Amino acid sequence: MNSNASPSADALARLAAIIESRLPARGGDAETSYVARLLHKGPDSFLKKIGEEATEVVMAAKDADHGGDKQKVVYEVADLWFHSMIALAHYGLSPLDVVAELERREGTSGIEEKALRKAKAREASND
């Protein structure tokens, strides 16, 4: 990371590096590392965790809407991001790939972007 990166970007880069070091190909030990264990079990294992964490984000947000602790939303989103970063590492991707995609979308209306995706999907299905 460059020296102009925010502390948040540095934290994501450090976490990504730790997660990548737990990949089976890099000698991640499933006996001593939660991340290595998920990666060793394969995609179904960490994808299930992503689904569980996404549901917990929704539940925490619903609770916050009714007076619950908003900090729980942050806690659950952190879990979701963490497990999503495991998936990124498994597929040879990094948080920077996600940031690049968000930057690509910057300035594009969400409605317009969704319509473009639907049009591309229709074109692909007609081929």
Side-chain angles (χ1 to χ4, degrees):
M1 260 296 116
N2 69 40
S3 60
N4 294 333
S6 71
S8 299
D10 287 346
L12 283 176
R14 286 190 307 272
L15 180 57
I18 292 168
I19 290 169
E20 288 169 14
S21 77
R22 305 299 198 262
L23 287 164
R26 295 210 182 158
D29 184 357
E31 295 296 317
T32 61
S33 167
Y34 171 74
V35 171
R37 188 174 308 137
L38 285 176
L39 289 164
H40 179 75
K41 289 180 180 178
D44 284 349
S45 181
F46 58 78
L47 295 174
K48 179 181 175 185
K49 286 300 296 180
I50 291 170
E52 290 171 5
E53 298 302 342
T55 299
E56 290 175 11
V57 169
V58 171
M59 292 178 352
K62 290 288 197 178
D63 288 346
D65 284 341
H66 298 283
D69 183 1
K70 291 179 184 177
Q71 193 60 35
K72 284 191 168 194
V73 177
V74 172
Y75 179 85
E76 297 301 346
V77 168
D79 283 349
L80 177 59
W81 283 15
F82 175 78
H83 288 90
S84 295
M85 288 174 70
I86 294 171
L88 289 171
H90 173 79
Y91 295 110
L93 301 166
S94 79
L96 289 178
D97 295 306
V98 177
V99 170
E101 176 60 16
L102 292 171
E103 287 175 340
R104 184 192 69 76
R105 295 179 188 187
E106 188 175 4
T108 303
S109 157
I111 294 169
E112 180 182 319
E113 205 274 333
K114 187 174 182 178
L116 287 171
R117 279 188 281 137
K118 283 184 178 182
K120 286 181 183 179
R122 276 195 303 272
E123 286 176 17
S125 69
N126 289 333
D127 290 342

